[in-house]
Amino acid sequence: MAQVTADVEAVRGRLMPERAGQHGKVLLAGKVVNSEFAERVRSLSGVDPRECYQCGKCSSGCPMTPEMDLIPSQVIRLLQLGQEQDVLGCKTIWLCASCFQCYSRCPKGIDFSRLAEALRMLAMAGKVEYLAPEDVPEEVLTEVPQQALVSAFRKYGL
Amino acid sequence: MKLAYYPGCTVRDKAVHLDETTKASARELGIDLQELENWTCCGATYPLTEEKIANLVPQIRILRNVREGGNSQVTTTCAFCYSTLKRANRAIAVDDLRRQRVNAFLRDDDPVRPYKEQTQAPADYEGEVAVLHLLEVFRDGFGWDRLAKATKKPLNGLKVAPYYGCKLLRPPKEVAFDDPENPTIFEQFLAALGCEVIDFPFKSECCGSYLALSAPESASRLSHLILTSAVKSGAEVLALSCPLCYYNMDLRQRDISKSYPGFQHVPVMFFTQLLALALGLDEKVLGLDLHYVDVRPLLRQKNLLQ
Amino acid sequence: MKRIGVFVCHCGHNIAGVVDVKRLAAELAKHPGVAFATDYIYMCSEPGQALVREKIKELNLDGVVVAACSPTLHELTFRTAGRMAGLNPYQVEIANIREQCSWVHTDGAQATAKALKIARSTIEKVRYNQSLEPVMVPITQRALVIGGGIAGIQAALDIADAGYEVVLVEREPSIGGHMIQLSETFPTLDCSQCILTPKMVAVAQHPNIRLLTYSEVEDISGYIGNFKVKIRRKAAYVDWDVCTGCGVCVEKCPKKVPSEFERFLGMRKAIYTPFPQAVPNKPVIDRVNCTYFLKGTCKACEKFCEVKAIRWEQEDQYLEESVGAVVVATGYDTYPIANLGEYVGGKIMDVIDGLAFERLLSASGPTAGQIRRPSDGTVPKEVVFVQCAGSRDPELHKAYCSKICCMYTTKHAMLYKHAVPDGQPYVFYIDMRTNGKGYEEFYQRAIDEDGVIFLRGKVAKIFQDGDKVMVWGADTLTGRKVEIAADMVVLATAIVPSAGTEELVKRIKIGCSDGGFLLEAHPKLRPVESMTAGFFLAGCAQAPKDIPEAVAQASGAASKVIGVFSQEAMAHEPTIAFVDEDLCSGCHMCIPVCPYEAREFDKEKGIAIVKEALCEGCGACVAACPSGATQQRNLTDAQIEEMITVSLME
Amino acid sequence: MFEPKIICFLCKWCTYAGADLAGTSRMKYAPNGVNIRFLCSSRVDPQHVLWAFKSGADGVFLGGCHPGDCHYQEGNYKTLRRVALMKKMLRQMGIEDGRLRLEWISAAEGKKFAQTMDEFTEQIRALGPLQLEL
């Protein structure tokens, strides 16, 4: 898998240090599946991931899957199972460019980019920014269009 | 034909050639673009969480100012501005809670509008302004035939691949710009200018967008995919409407060349540059010196430029 | 004065838990006309029914009210009990104090008061009920079958074999439906044509079947036992009575057009039979494409026809048939690829649908059974099968599962592998649904013996890349995106009701369910009956189904038709309209109101009469009658007024 | 509290079956209505409605099949037209037309039946007892 940037791994560690690549078994219980976290994701995103029947069409068409550690349908699956640490600690939510390709094709009308945005907010809440202005090299700052700066800091900043 | 024009931040700095060619072409075509006074940033990306209602304030303030300025339509060329304005406009129209909250916020907002002194806040904004992309203005208002007739220097023989990107087409239910899978508006525009239109399979794939900052290699991969596919399909130049796509397609070719040895540069142009060219406007307006990948040799080769 | 017996049921706690049944019985005993009232724990049980029977005989009751559950459940039970005790069944009525009282109210006093009103109102009805006998209506023992696919063929043969006449109407020039297009059938891989053509021939030769192909049902009026059917025979421009089916005209016709039967992968002539084994084996001229009709010259077919069967001036003919029952077997179409934008909506030649692939597999198909892709005729070595193309997609396409695609796609992949041993088939699926006899074994065989790769994920994008068809899918089992450079893609497009189903449903007034399929009377217990008496359903017109299911349903529908025909006359509910001839002024108000043409003006008497066999008892004419001359048996205005009055008594 | 007296004329195929479904689903609703089963809502004659009001009803409810679903093809359309006329007639007689209500309730709409009964009871309660000057 292509390395995105060195910083992504570092920042991920900053955000969810306790997770750091665990792939243990999924422990299920009613209170896990129906957790406050699951409800928070639903209310924040306005999307109910429980409606997904896991056809995988989102992942099939997503332009960013090569860099993702979990494909979008897996993030939704883990959300259905209430696996907070996995979904908050994955790279995928930071790699969604909200191009809406998945949403425009989803047979259930699920907007994954909304879920990713909600998860980013929850991951950053009270913690650190994923992308701070000082993380961006000077020459990049002068080159990129304004809209990219505003968008990126809206998606990745506090 | 008169309508409000919302330029957006990027076209005033990194993409002045988009702005200049838009204004010059509109003048040439007799379209009265009235630039919105005291416009502010549109917010760039549409807020995707239920709680970020305040993030709708900038767009609604802009749209309310369009109305207060006496216009019922506003046009823009930047795909991001178009997407945020159009989606916010729809949200305000269909969502009572958002409409009430945003208007409540804006009621205390003292509109800085020197052309119209007011003691009272304007009436609530309820989504009454139509947000149009410039391509829609041509399709639904101006007409392709009229555009083709106005073309003084048809771009015959120029093989152009239209690149839509993401924001113009999706989410289809909210932007309702064209068929999300097989759009045709850009093709019709280019055909009206006399171009040979090149269809290619990645015309609506994502360019990597703002991942340009956080995951530039992903953006390079995607831009490379799109550019090579267009060239393979026979394109000589890529036409687009979004300044961020432009950045990811043009300047990024510097990085693509490093990551993908053997990659050949492909020129990229804003659709309005092609328009200005076809209308026979002065080369100075086109801003052809602003491209990373120089498009001038191609245009000269095609006898479209002195 | 009537002598009415009232029987209050406890239904265990269901009624007695809320309603004071003892008090109810005691109060009702005081009601005028009530000779006897009692309560019992389960009135519908055998001892309960025995109690009703005994009391009728013992007390010489001439009316019975059972205060119990909804009449839809036990009206028949107690009317039968009444009849066994010598009472006319129409003297027995049910007061619904369970579904519409004890189950929906909590306050005992209020519920008891309401139950009292319901029971009193029912007693008032019985007080004025007449003893009635069912109206006997003669039955036309002749059936109409609409649609000549496998379901229609099976239904027609079953009914005809039972000795009844059948009119089989098919809109295409030949019967056979989609099944005759198929190559081999799952899970036994028997040749579709081999098993179907004998049945098609049997239809053509059956003395009891009148086969009308190239014909459409325009209208059906009447009611069960007595339908009038209007049929349009489309002009074939060939006199089929004269035509010998020699085929010279087809051979000589210079005009070639893409063949619908071959899913546009092969050609046919402008005068054609859809396929060589067509039944009847008589050609039709496709007026839209015929050179003579387009340009006024040619007539090659006419020149070479030895028996002079070509009829340029032929017009559509209208026929009328009388039948007693109808089987609707109008079949399916496949969801158009043009609607699938993400798969480029049919613009890539080598992206075809399952039926087209059947034609490629078929020994009688355009490639004689060789797998060759449409674009350049080469043998595709990498073939991707995409399931749920338009199915299971409530947001953009069809919400339902098309049911047969898992199995036919497995079969396609398997047959492809048999035809192209060095090729690789891939199947993208969401869930494999292999529930049928021998189906799961078939699926496993495709994996075990034929090396079919099944990928769990829905394809998002298909595009042309040079001479390859690129497929972007996912394998959700590994969590990876999948890209395949395929030579050909086969889409398992959704099954949709055949074109024109909606219009037919409106014309013949049978219901439709979601997705436009025909609505069955009960999803579990009455799966072959429609909501309208006399109409039966078979095959994919009702829901997507495979061949054995379609055949089973067709035989079920046929047996229902045979059941209707097993008697010469049908008992008709006698609670219909009647006229007080002295009151009727002959104003005609009732006549246009009747949906069944059961009201008619009798010129001799100068009054409007009721044709009892046609009256369904809706009561619309009764309400329309300004003088009150028309009344409904056992629901007269006088009865209704009494019922209202007691319902409002405290 | 005023307890309105309501007469309900229900078509056997749809609304009566919907009322049965409310029962089998054990939904609870106001007990003010007493149901009278007709084969079709088109059997309801304006004189039945008037008779009910005359005999002490505070409200009259008519339930039929949804448009297009009538078992007798289009009886419910006839009812619809008659109800419009009846409402006019009631107003002329000084009876609020809100005392007469027509609803399409299918055999599958037990919940709608229960809700409609509650709503209609409240509607009549708000109108108060019918004062008829006969």
Side-chain angles (χ1 to χ4, degrees):
Chain A
M1 185 175 33
Q3 191 70 0
V4 184
T5 59
D7 287 337
V8 171
E9 284 301 323
V11 173
R12 191 155 72 92
R14 256 193 275 163
L15 286 170
M16 288 302 296
E18 66 274 28
R19 187 199 172 262
Q22 283 177 19
H23 286 289
K25 60 186 158 192
V26 171
L27 287 175
L28 282 189
K31 65 178 191 296
V32 176
V33 178
N34 305 305
S35 64
E36 223 169 273
F37 167 74
E39 174 52 34
R40 184 85 183 105
V41 173
R42 290 196 293 270
S43 68
L44 200 51
S45 63
V47 174
D48 191 344
R50 293 173 298 192
E51 289 173 3
C52 166
Y53 71 89
Q54 288 290 317
C55 74
K57 203 178 186 185
C58 48
S59 304
S60 297
C62 176
M64 293 304 297
T65 42
E67 284 88 10
M68 287 174 171
D69 48 359
L70 296 172
I71 57 176
S73 53
Q74 287 178 313
V75 174
I76 300 176
R77 184 69 188 148
L78 288 159
L79 271 173
Q80 290 173 332
L81 302 180
Q83 302 300 299
E84 179 174 353
Q85 299 221 335
D86 290 85
V87 293
L88 289 182
C90 70
K91 281 188 208 171
T92 302
I93 57 174
W94 306 101
L95 288 168
C96 171
S98 52
C99 77
F100 307 113
Q101 191 67 272
C102 53
Y103 176 36
S104 82
R105 289 174 178 155
C106 176
K108 299 302 297 277
I110 291 172
D111 187 350
F112 178 79
S113 58
R114 282 182 177 270
L115 290 171
E117 183 135 317
L119 292 171
R120 284 194 300 267
M121 278 180 70
L122 292 173
M124 289 188 292
K127 298 191 178 163
V128 290
E129 293 179 303
Y130 178 77
L131 186 73
E134 56 270 27
D135 292 342
V136 183
E138 187 67 26
E139 64 275 18
V140 175
L141 278 181
T142 55
E143 263 174 24
V144 295
Q146 279 74 4
Q147 67 193 99
L149 292 171
V150 180
S151 301
F153 294 128
R154 277 208 156 176
K155 298 292 182 195
Y156 302 142
L158 289 176
Chain B
M1 184 172 198
K2 172 188 92 118
L3 70 167
Y5 173 51
Y6 175 79
C9 56
T10 311
V11 306
R12 280 300 151 81
D13 184 43
K14 299 291 181 340
V16 287
H17 34 340
L18 174 56
D19 185 34
E20 292 302 326
T21 48
T22 299
K23 290 189 290 195
S25 302
R27 251 193 318 275
E28 180 69 19
L29 292 168
I31 299 172
D32 182 10
L33 285 191
Q34 302 187 328
E35 182 168 326
L36 203 59
E37 292 191 48
N38 298 304
W39 57 267
T40 50
C41 172
C42 70
T45 128
Y46 184 75
L48 295 175
T49 55
E50 296 293 297
E51 294 179 4
K52 287 185 176 171
I53 292 180
N55 286 7
L56 290 171
V57 167
Q59 301 92 335
I60 301 310
R61 184 199 277 121
I62 291 163
L63 293 168
R64 197 181 65 174
N65 284 349
V66 171
R67 186 193 65 188
E68 295 300 300
N71 275 306
S72 59
Q73 295 178 319
V74 62
T75 190
T76 181
T77 52
C78 166
F80 269 58
C81 300
Y82 172 70
S83 163
T84 44
L85 290 176
K86 187 150 188 189
R87 294 185 72 179
N89 200 33
R90 184 179 175 277
I92 285 299
V94 302
D95 186 333
D96 293 342
L97 179 72
R98 280 181 162 70
R99 182 166 64 244
Q100 285 158 14
R101 292 265 183 90
V102 172
N103 275 304
F105 187 90
L106 282 173
R107 225 163 275 144
D108 304 326
D109 180 58
D110 185 24
V112 191
R113 288 170 302 131
Y115 55 88
K116 198 175 175 189
E117 290 298 331
Q118 275 195 334
T119 47
Q120 269 187 319
D124 277 6
Y125 180 78
E126 294 178 339
E128 48 269 43
V129 168
V131 178
L132 301 170
H133 188 272
L134 190 57
L135 285 172
E136 289 179 299
V137 173
F138 288 127
R139 180 185 63 190
D140 306 330
F142 196 81
W144 299 128
D145 288 346
R146 214 171 133 198
L147 184 62
K149 280 195 194 110
T151 302
K152 294 203 183 97
K153 271 173 56 187
L155 309 179
N156 295 338
L158 189 64
K159 295 174 180 166
V160 189
Y163 174 67
Y164 290 85
C166 54
K167 293 282 186 282
L168 288 183
L169 299 169
R170 299 187 291 266
K173 279 183 186 155
E174 290 181 49
V175 291
F177 176 77
D178 203 344
D179 183 309
E181 297 288 355
N182 297 293
T184 55
I185 183 171
F186 219 143
E187 281 83 346
Q188 288 173 307
F189 170 79
L190 294 173
L193 301 187
C195 306
E196 186 178 329
V197 184
I198 302 296
D199 191 27
F200 73 114
F202 298 131
K203 63 186 177 190
S204 61
E205 286 296 320
C206 176
C207 69
S209 193
Y210 47 78
L211 297 178
L213 281 163
S214 54
E217 287 183 11
S218 299
S220 290
R221 176 176 61 76
L222 291 168
S223 300
H224 175 254
L225 182 75
I226 293 158
L227 290 166
T228 49
S229 162
V231 170
K232 197 174 171 188
S233 302
E236 295 165 330
V237 57
L238 205 68
L240 40 70
S241 124
C242 171
L244 183 47
C245 295
Y246 172 78
Y247 169 76
N248 276 332
M249 293 291 155
D250 183 51
L251 187 51
R252 184 158 304 288
Q253 294 194 31
R254 188 183 61 199
D255 297 348
I256 295 174
S257 296
K258 284 182 211 152
S259 313
Y260 301 87
F263 171 75
Q264 297 286 311
H265 283 171
V266 198
V268 175
M269 289 177 82
F270 285 116
F271 73 108
T272 50
Q273 286 179 293
L274 288 162
L275 173 62
L277 189 65
L279 293 175
L281 299 185
D282 194 290
E283 191 189 328
K284 273 179 274 175
V285 181
L286 301 180
L288 295 176
D289 52 333
L290 297 170
H291 296 245
Y292 172 74
V293 179
D294 196 349
V295 66
R296 286 170 294 195
L298 172 71
L299 297 179
R300 285 196 196 101
Q301 186 205 324
K302 297 274 171 181
N303 285 326
L304 297 169
L305 207 62
Q306 300 292 300
Chain C
M1 184 66 99
K2 261 209 159 135
R3 296 178 51 77
I4 298 170
V6 179
F7 300 86
V8 179
C9 180
H10 298 194
C11 195
H13 284 294
N14 283 306
I15 294 170
V18 182
V19 172
D20 183 346
V21 287
K22 296 277 177 207
R23 208 194 119 216
L24 189 61
E27 288 289 332
L28 292 174
K30 299 178 206 157
H31 196 87
V34 174
F36 169 80
T38 187
D39 60 281
Y40 185 72
I41 181 158
Y42 287 110
M43 207 60 83
C44 63
S45 66
E46 184 38 42
Q49 291 186 49
L51 174 70
V52 176
R53 291 196 300 265
E54 279 161 23
K55 289 294 168 191
I56 291 170
K57 286 184 196 152
E58 182 191 325
L59 302 172
N60 201 20
L61 302 176
D62 56 5
V64 164
V65 169
V66 182
C69 53
S70 172
T72 50
L73 293 169
H74 283 304
E75 188 176 77
L76 186 63
T77 311
F78 291 109
R79 285 189 168 174
T80 308
R83 199 182 56 219
M84 286 164 73
L87 185 64
N88 182 286
Y90 295 92
Q91 296 290 3
V92 180
E93 299 279 358
I94 306 290
N96 182 349
I97 61 163
R98 192 180 73 173
E99 280 82 350
Q100 298 185 4
C101 187
S102 70
W103 273 352
V104 289
H105 306 309
T106 38
D107 182 293
Q110 283 182 332
T112 307
K114 178 169 166 179
L116 197 56
K117 292 177 184 176
I118 295 170
R120 279 177 180 155
S121 148
T122 315
I123 293 166
E124 282 305 309
K125 183 174 191 300
V126 173
R127 273 182 75 184
Y128 300 99
N129 267 2
Q130 297 174 333
S131 293
L132 302 174
E133 292 304 327
V135 178
M136 298 309 286
V137 182
I139 289 171
T140 309
Q141 290 168 325
R142 195 156 190 267
L144 170 71
V145 176
I146 311 174
I150 178 58
I153 288 172
Q154 185 67 42
L157 286 173
D158 283 359
I159 298 166
D161 285 346
Y164 301 105
E165 284 180 37
V166 178
V167 180
L168 175 57
V169 176
E170 164 61 51
R171 67 177 167 194
E172 297 299 326
S174 170
I175 56 170
H178 283 306
M179 185 179 164
I180 200 68
Q181 287 179 294
L182 308 183
S183 53
E184 293 168 20
T185 55
F186 61 80
T188 43
L189 297 186
D190 30 10
C191 151
S192 188
Q193 293 195 337
C194 310
I195 58 178
L196 185 55
T197 40
K199 278 187 181 284
M200 290 161 62
V201 172
V203 166
Q205 295 176 344
H206 207 295
N208 284 341
I209 297 179
R210 180 170 190 206
L211 177 59
L212 298 173
T213 58
Y214 215 44
S215 301
E216 296 197 34
V217 171
E218 293 283 303
D219 189 42
I220 300 180
S221 59
Y223 51 94
I224 181 167
N226 293 279
F227 291 110
K228 285 264 182 295
V229 187
K230 199 170 158 194
I231 299 161
R232 181 167 62 94
R233 286 205 89 163
K234 295 183 275 192
Y237 305 104
V238 176
D239 186 338
W240 284 2
D241 294 334
V242 175
C243 171
T244 58
C246 72
V248 170
C249 54
V250 176
E251 200 180 299
K252 297 295 180 186
C253 175
K255 183 71 178 284
K256 279 189 175 179
V257 289
S259 158
E260 297 85 355
F261 181 79
E262 300 294 358
R263 303 296 283 183
F264 309 107
L265 297 176
M267 305 299 274
R268 64 159 169 84
K269 297 292 184 64
I271 182 167
Y272 70 105
T273 53
F275 50 96
Q277 310 90 328
V279 170
N281 194 17
K282 303 288 169 80
V284 298
I285 294 177
D286 165 11
R287 191 188 171 120
V288 177
N289 287 301
C290 168
T291 311
Y292 172 70
F293 278 114
L294 288 173
K295 295 185 180 148
T297 56
C298 179
K299 294 195 175 181
C301 47
E302 189 176 34
K303 271 175 230 142
F304 288 94
C305 180
E306 284 186 13
V307 294
K308 303 291 167 220
I310 305 294
R311 297 283 181 275
W312 300 110
E313 67 295 337
Q314 202 174 66
E315 286 178 355
D316 291 1
Q317 281 180 292
Y318 289 88
L319 317 173
E320 209 173 82
E321 293 280 351
S322 296
V323 298
V326 181
V327 176
V328 187
T330 46
Y332 71 95
D333 280 332
T334 54
Y335 191 60
I337 295 185
N339 291 3
L340 298 161
E342 65 272 45
Y343 306 151
V344 211
K347 285 184 208 137
I348 302 176
M349 279 188 87
D350 295 322
V351 178
I352 62 174
D353 72 4
L355 274 177
F357 195 68
E358 291 287 347
R359 294 314 299 151
L360 290 183
L361 286 168
S362 171
S364 65
T367 56
Q370 292 191 14
I371 307 300
R372 294 188 176 277
R373 65 180 197 170
S375 63
D376 56 8
T378 58
V379 177
K381 291 294 162 67
E382 303 272 329
V383 178
V384 173
F385 296 89
V386 178
Q387 299 220 41
C388 303
S391 305
R392 303 185 68 192
D393 191 335
E395 197 68 21
L396 299 170
H397 305 294
K398 300 291 174 188
Y400 51 83
C401 164
S402 292
K403 193 169 185 181
I404 60 173
C405 325
C406 284
M407 288 309 296
Y408 81 61
T409 300
T410 302
K411 177 196 77 179
H412 283 170
M414 190 187 265
L415 292 178
Y416 163 74
K417 188 69 182 170
H418 295 172
V420 186
D422 62 338
Q424 180 58 55
Y426 307 88
V427 177
F428 280 100
Y429 70 98
I430 303 175
D431 297 295
M432 282 306 288
R433 292 175 173 175
T434 60
N435 42 358
K437 194 174 182 181
Y439 290 8
E440 175 63 18
E441 295 88 328
F442 185 77
Y443 165 55
Q444 293 192 19
R445 203 170 107 205
I447 300 172
D448 299 348
E449 295 176 17
D450 297 299
V452 180
I453 302 275
F454 284 87
L455 295 153
R456 199 205 165 281
K458 184 157 179 165
V459 169
K461 187 177 172 80
I462 294 175
F463 57 95
Q464 186 89 50
D465 187 27
D467 66 345
K468 292 282 183 183
V469 182
M470 301 298 290
V471 179
W472 280 6
D475 180 49
T476 59
L477 301 178
T478 53
R480 302 278 185 84
K481 186 166 166 169
V482 174
E483 182 177 284
I484 300 173
D487 298 310
M488 186 163 83
V489 174
V490 182
L491 302 177
T493 45
I495 299 288
V496 295
S498 67
T501 301
E502 201 185 334
E503 292 75 35
L504 183 75
V505 162
K506 275 190 194 140
R507 254 182 282 145
I508 66 180
K509 297 191 181 77
I510 55 175
C512 247
S513 43
D514 288 349
F517 293 101
L518 305 180
L519 180 65
E520 59 283 351
H522 189 281
K524 295 176 186 69
L525 303 177
R526 297 172 68 193
V528 305
E529 292 157 79
S530 79
M531 295 295 278
T532 308
F535 287 94
F536 303 94
L537 314 174
C540 285
Q542 182 254 337
K545 53 176 68 68
D546 59 20
I547 295 166
E549 283 182 323
V551 169
Q553 197 188 18
S555 287
S559 80
K560 286 281 171 191
V561 171
I562 295 164
V564 172
F565 292 172
S566 66
Q567 43 202 339
E568 289 184 345
M570 275 190 88
H572 202 68
E573 275 293 307
T575 48
I576 55 174
F578 68 98
V579 181
D580 182 332
E581 300 192 354
D582 295 335
L583 280 179
C584 178
S585 64
C587 75
H588 281 70
M589 290 287 273
C590 51
I591 295 169
V593 170
C594 179
Y596 305 101
E597 296 171 15
R599 300 304 308 267
E600 201 176 69
F601 189 69
D602 184 326
K603 279 185 193 146
E604 261 176 43
K605 291 183 179 168
I607 60 161
I609 56 160
V610 176
K611 291 162 87 176
E612 296 202 335
L614 297 179
C615 178
E616 288 278 318
C618 68
C621 62
V622 187
C625 179
S627 64
T630 300
Q631 287 296 330
Q632 185 165 12
R633 291 197 196 282
N634 287 0
L635 198 64
T636 61
D637 288 337
Q639 272 176 300
I640 293 168
E641 282 167 11
E642 292 305 324
M643 290 167 79
I644 294 169
T645 309
V646 297
S647 296
L648 293 165
M649 266 171 29
E650 282 309 323
Chain D
M1 192 169 52
F2 162 56
E3 287 298 342
K5 286 191 268 186
I6 297 168
I7 293 289
C8 308
F9 299 111
L10 310 182
C11 119
K12 150 185 169 162
W13 303 96
C14 290
T15 314
Y16 192 89
D20 274 355
L21 180 64
T24 39
S25 315
R26 309 296 201 275
M27 292 162 184
K28 304 295 174 211
Y29 57 86
N32 300 58
V34 176
N35 302 338
I36 294 179
R37 184 171 73 140
F38 284 179
L39 267 68
C40 178
S41 62
S42 67
R43 173 70 185 89
V44 180
D45 187 321
Q47 66 166 329
H48 302 148
V49 176
L50 295 182
W51 185 273
F53 283 128
K54 193 197 99 180
S55 311
D58 302 299
V60 174
F61 176 83
L62 269 64
C65 309
H66 283 271
D69 290 353
C70 178
H71 186 80
Y72 304 101
Q73 301 184 12
E74 48 191 31
N76 47 1
Y77 291 109
K78 292 172 188 137
T79 312
L80 183 66
R81 289 196 291 270
R82 277 180 199 150
V83 166
L85 220 81
M86 276 189 258
K87 280 182 175 268
K88 209 177 216 175
M89 203 162 77
L90 291 179
R91 283 196 295 271
Q92 286 168 353
M93 299 167 89
I95 301 174
E96 300 91 334
D97 64 8
R99 292 185 185 275
L100 175 65
R101 179 160 169 176
L102 169 68
E103 286 287 344
W104 310 133
I105 300 175
S106 80
E109 292 175 325
K111 187 161 187 187
K112 183 174 178 187
F113 182 83
Q115 282 172 347
T116 307
M117 283 300 118
D118 280 338
E119 255 176 55
F120 191 54
T121 304
E122 283 315 308
Q123 186 182 329
I124 301 298
R125 206 186 310 262
L127 286 170
L130 176 63
Q131 310 281 346
L132 268 190
E133 293 165 28
L134 291 171

